[in-house]
């Protein structure tokens, strides 16, 4: 029997209180650099709550009173200048869809694209809501909250904070536990020198249909082995992020087996809230995309600790890239395409802490055209869960073989 996802007609959910603040929200340099399209995620809940669609719809409306810019729309600034988030309070809000699935939550993997609302042509235009939400109830009582948003609105850390607030409203809080801040002076003054939207818009990207969407786990035993090796060799602490990214980059370079002298580029998101001094509760964008460059041979044939060292060196340059005095920093253009691994980490950003009344999500999943390190599973936390596009379909077996070989060699060392 075929599985059917039945969707109700979309509605616009605005703030629940009249007189919510209005006006224009000016975009920071971080926001402008991220104006490259929508991002989608799924929060998977295996424990039921009473009427999840209506409960979350009401909670969303209450949360938007405090996070009113999320109800706004992109608009041209004065005299056609830089874009702003225009908050008029007139018919604005989040596009919301209630849905039901004729299966249990264990049958969800084949339905992922049906569990979110998509922008037309996968592009958020000025008249479109900045955020789309779908709540799907499954026959087993579990439910999934699918969220799609324009990246100009916020990054994953900001979205994690907002979804926690929606959860608090669903659980009966009168106010969010964290006071939200959308405009912050230090963030507005910062001039990040990471990659900009134009770098991605001009990239020589691979046809999405040629890329495989993967969902796998890097075992903690392999992560721990890399961290220990780096600590002994470099005398420096190696983070889980650094170890996982080094493993992915190296396995990918070996699987693709391109020209040894050709470029192997890594692009990853770097959260700069601490470096900038962003206010507690700030939920706009405050991350930049950094790039690490090496030859394919250096990544594929080098020691994993040397790959970690390269990643560390890029991260440590972030402080210099926060140029509060203005002025642009010259950077050689990068040729981005299949030679590039695009990656972001959603771990430890609060996405896994959203609770709408039945506990935290069993899983957080990314539906994005790049690679995401997802928060740990509640019921299957045996490593770093990775989702997204990493290699072409014809390179999947080679990539998974390289990952298995690394994991096996690390197990022998334990």
């Amino acid at each position: 029997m075929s599985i059917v996802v039945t969707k109700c007609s979309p509605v616009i959910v605005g703030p629940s209180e009249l007189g919510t603040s209005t006006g224009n929200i000016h975009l920071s340099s971080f926001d402008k650099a991220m104006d490259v399209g929508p991002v989608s995620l799924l929060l998977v809940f295996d424990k039921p709550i009473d009427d999840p669609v209506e409960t979350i719809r009401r909670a969303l409306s209450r949360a938007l009173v405090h996070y009113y810019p999320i109800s706004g729309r992109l608009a041209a600034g004065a005299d056609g200048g830089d874009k702003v988030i225009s908050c008029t309070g007139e018919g604005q809000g989040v596009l919301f869809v209630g849905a039901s699935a004729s299966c249990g939550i264990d049958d969800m993997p084949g339905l992922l694209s049906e569990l979110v609302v998509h922008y037309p042509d996968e592009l958020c235009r000025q008249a479109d809501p900045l955020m789309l939400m779908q709540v799907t109830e499954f026959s087993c009582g579990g439910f999934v909250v699918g969220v799609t948003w324009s990246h100009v609105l916020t990054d994953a850390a900001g979205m994690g904070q907002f979804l926690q607030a929606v959860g608090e409203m669903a659980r009966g809080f009168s106010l969010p536990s964290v006071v939200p801040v959308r405009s912050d002076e230090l963030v507005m003054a910062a001039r990040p020198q990471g990659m900009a939207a134009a770098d991605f818009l001009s990239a020589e990207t691979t046809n999405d249909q040629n890329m495989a969407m993967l969902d796998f786990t890097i075992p903690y035993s392999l992560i721990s082995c890399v961290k220990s090796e780096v600590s002994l060799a470099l005398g420096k602490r190696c983070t889980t992020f650094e170890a996982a990214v080094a493993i992915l980059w190296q396995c990918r370079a070996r699987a693709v087996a391109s020209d040894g002298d050709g470029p192997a580029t890594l692009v990853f998101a770097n959260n700069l809230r601490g470096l900038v001094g962003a206010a507690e509760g700030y939920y706009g964008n405050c991350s930049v995309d950094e790039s690490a460059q090496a030859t394919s041979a250096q990544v594929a044939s080098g020691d994993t600790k040397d790959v970690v060292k390269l990643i560390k060196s890029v991260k440590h340059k972030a402080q210099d890239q926060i140029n509060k005095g203005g002025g642009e920093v010259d950077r050689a253009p990068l040729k981005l395409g299949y030679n590039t691994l695009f990656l972001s980490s959603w771990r430890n950003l609060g996405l896994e802490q959203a609770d709408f009344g039945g506990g935290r999500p069993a899983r957080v999943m990314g539906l994005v055209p790049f690679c995401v390190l997802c928060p740990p599973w509640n019921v299957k936390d045996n490593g770093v869960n990775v989702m997204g596009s990493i290699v072409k379909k014809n390179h999947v077996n080679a990539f998974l073989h390289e990952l298995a070989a690394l994991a096996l060699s690390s197990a022998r060392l334990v």
Side-chain angles (χ1 to χ4, degrees):
M1 188 174 73
S2 61
I3 297 173
V4 177
V5 176
T6 304
K7 300 188 180 187
C8 296
S9 298
V11 296
I12 296 296
V13 176
S16 61
E17 297 179 8
L18 297 176
T20 299
S21 299
T22 58
N24 290 339
I25 304 296
H26 294 280
L27 302 180
S28 71
S29 295
F30 294 98
D31 298 323
K32 296 171 186 176
M34 293 297 176
D35 189 10
V36 293
V39 181
S40 296
L41 63 81
L42 299 174
L43 303 181
V44 182
F45 296 87
D46 54 3
K47 295 176 180 166
I49 62 173
D50 182 48
D51 195 351
V53 171
E54 184 59 20
T55 295
I56 295 173
R57 187 197 66 77
R58 289 196 303 262
L60 172 63
S61 183
R62 291 184 59 210
L64 288 173
V65 173
H66 309 282
Y67 286 82
Y68 71 91
I70 293 178
S71 297
R73 301 289 187 271
L74 280 180
D79 300 322
D82 289 342
K83 290 180 181 177
V84 297
I85 298 176
S86 174
C87 305
T88 66
E90 299 176 359
Q92 294 183 335
V94 171
L95 188 144
F96 182 89
V97 173
S100 61
S102 62
C103 65
I105 211 152
D106 291 339
D107 298 316
M108 185 189 70
L111 304 173
L112 298 185
S113 182
E114 296 186 58
L115 302 181
V116 294
V117 185
H118 299 273
Y119 286 106
D121 301 323
E122 298 298 324
L123 182 66
C124 179
R125 300 178 175 86
Q126 289 193 12
D128 293 331
L130 292 174
M131 179 175 162
L132 319 173
M133 179 180 286
Q134 177 176 319
V135 178
T136 306
E137 187 171 10
F138 286 75
S139 59
C140 62
F143 62 98
V144 171
V145 179
V147 182
T148 299
W149 74 95
S150 168
H151 211 325
V152 73
L153 175 67
T154 185
D155 52 22
M159 185 53 62
Q161 179 181 311
F162 174 67
L163 292 174
Q164 286 183 61
V166 177
E168 290 170 344
M169 298 298 105
R171 303 198 314 272
F173 283 45
S174 58
L175 295 170
S177 59
V178 176
V179 178
V181 176
R182 184 55 180 84
S183 295
D184 178 79
E185 290 184 2
L186 290 177
V187 174
M188 293 298 294
R191 296 293 180 267
Q193 301 302 332
M195 301 180 70
D199 293 301
F200 297 99
L201 294 174
S202 63
E204 294 181 15
T205 55
T206 304
N207 188 321
D208 287 346
Q209 296 188 4
N210 291 329
M211 299 295 288
M213 281 294 293
L214 298 181
D215 180 2
F216 60 93
T217 298
I218 305 174
Y220 279 135
S221 58
L222 176 54
I223 297 286
S224 297
C225 184
V226 171
K227 293 168 77 170
S228 297
E229 181 185 353
V230 171
S231 179
L232 287 172
L234 305 182
K236 297 179 180 179
R237 174 178 174 269
C238 176
T239 67
T240 296
F241 170 83
E242 292 163 349
V245 173
I247 291 166
L248 290 172
W249 196 14
Q250 192 162 57
C251 288
R252 186 186 191 279
R254 291 173 178 174
V256 172
S258 60
D259 175 15
D261 294 326
T265 305
L266 170 69
V267 175
F268 62 91
N270 193 2
N271 186 351
L272 300 182
R273 280 167 169 76
L275 290 176
V276 171
E280 181 181 3
Y282 175 74
Y283 65 96
N285 286 289
C286 199
S287 59
V288 296
D289 288 308
E290 309 278 12
S291 64
Q293 300 176 70
T295 65
S296 179
Q298 286 174 323
V299 178
S301 303
D303 288 335
T304 306
K305 66 177 183 297
D306 294 325
V307 179
V308 171
K309 187 176 180 180
L310 178 58
I311 296 167
K312 279 183 173 292
S313 68
V314 174
K315 289 175 65 180
H316 290 162
K317 291 178 182 178
Q319 180 69 67
D320 297 332
Q321 293 171 339
I322 299 299
N323 180 3
K324 296 182 180 178
E328 296 297 325
V329 174
D330 291 332
R331 175 174 53 79
L334 296 177
K335 184 177 180 181
L336 303 178
Y338 191 53
N339 66 306
T340 306
L341 172 61
F342 296 92
L343 184 143
S344 181
S345 176
W346 290 359
R347 295 168 59 88
N348 305 315
L349 297 182
L351 292 167
E352 72 282 8
Q353 296 177 28
D355 178 359
F356 301 102
R360 296 180 178 183
R363 193 174 182 197
V364 178
M365 306 175 74
L367 299 183
V368 291
F370 50 88
C371 176
V372 175
L373 307 186
C374 298
W377 291 35
N378 267 3
V379 294
K380 189 181 175 183
D381 184 16
N382 57 359
V384 176
N385 180 226
V386 183
M387 288 192 70
S389 299
I390 302 176
V391 293
K392 292 180 182 179
K393 294 173 184 177
N394 60 311
H395 289 140
V396 169
N397 290 339
F399 172 79
L400 295 178
H401 172 77
E402 293 294 342
L403 181 61
L406 271 184
L408 181 61
S409 64
S410 70
R412 290 171 177 163
L413 296 175
V414 176

